Amino acid sequence: MCLIIYSPDGRIPKKHLQRGLTANPDGWGYMFAMDGEIIIRKGMERNAFWAQWRADRPLLTGPLVWHARIGTHGGRDVTNCHPFEVRGHNLAVVHNGIIGRCAEAGNPLSDTRLFVMTVLEQLPKGFLLNRSVRKLIEAFIGNSKLAFMSPDGTVDILNERLGEWHSARWHSARWYSN
């Protein structure tokens, strides 16, 4: 199963990134907000991750959502690496789990990518503000987790209770999907 790490202050220990990449070898990605935009980075190779991470490190001082993928549906290529833009909503999202209703055998797109296109992008603007819509999404995705980011850096996690918050003395708490 994939891994999501949400860090409100942009700090993630290197050993957690290394473990995440080792256990989830089918791509990586992360998102952060800068100047009113959501910046999305993603790729397949570990070396490319570390090079991009080092280049972005000085910028990562606020909310950051990181994802490592283990492919269950769809191709093992950058097309299926998270985060995904939720077109028309000024949001980006990462997912942990399997959305069975969107898993199509033989489809080159992952269950997550199909969910974003066929469900999230069809919802009315501001859907995250509607408690009933949030509950419907959580019911639809079952035990999966979704982490959304807005251009101002606000992060919203659906099924947050299924993950864990960990804190340390030197930084703010981080949320781990599993």
Side-chain angles (χ1 to χ4, degrees):
M1 192 176 305
C2 301
L3 173 63
I4 301 169
I5 303 174
Y6 163 46
S7 174
D9 65 6
R11 295 180 187 182
I12 301 174
K14 184 176 181 179
K15 66 182 179 181
H16 294 193
L17 298 170
Q18 289 171 327
R19 286 183 197 152
L21 291 168
T22 299
N24 303 279
D26 297 324
W28 56 267
Y30 57 93
M31 59 184 165
F32 59 98
M34 187 171 67
D35 299 328
E37 290 186 45
I38 303 166
I39 308 300
I40 294 175
R41 308 281 196 230
K42 53 186 169 177
M44 296 298 295
E45 302 298 324
R46 288 174 69 125
N47 289 340
F49 165 74
W50 290 112
Q52 186 66 60
W53 186 255
R54 279 190 299 277
D56 285 339
R57 194 68 208 118
L59 307 173
L60 305 177
T61 59
L64 167 76
V65 178
W66 185 83
H67 184 273
R69 179 175 189 251
I70 188 161
T72 56
H73 297 89
R76 287 176 170 85
D77 53 43
V78 76
T79 303
N80 288 313
C81 291
H82 309 210
F84 296 108
E85 176 187 359
V86 184
R87 292 186 178 107
H89 291 276
N90 216 10
L91 293 169
V93 66
V94 297
H95 166 245
N96 169 248
I98 295 172
I99 305 172
R101 294 178 179 151
C102 294
E104 296 180 1
N107 193 323
L109 298 180
S110 70
D111 56 317
T112 306
R113 185 69 191 116
L114 290 169
F115 176 71
V116 170
M117 292 167 42
T118 61
V119 177
L120 296 180
E121 290 179 353
Q122 308 311 310
L123 293 172
K125 292 196 185 321
F127 68 86
L128 284 175
L129 302 174
N130 185 312
R131 188 173 175 176
S132 296
V133 172
R134 292 170 64 95
K135 287 183 181 237
L136 286 170
I137 293 170
E138 286 180 337
F140 188 88
I141 66 173
N143 289 324
S144 289
K145 300 119 195 153
L146 296 170
F148 293 89
M149 182 174 276
S150 301
D152 65 358
T154 300
V155 173
D156 204 342
I157 303 170
L158 297 187
N159 283 337
E160 180 179 342
R161 72 191 186 289
L162 300 176
E164 294 183 12
W165 282 95
H166 293 269
S167 60
R169 292 181 208 133
W170 57 272
H171 60 77
S172 62
R174 287 183 300 271
W175 181 83
Y176 293 79
S177 62
N178 52 320

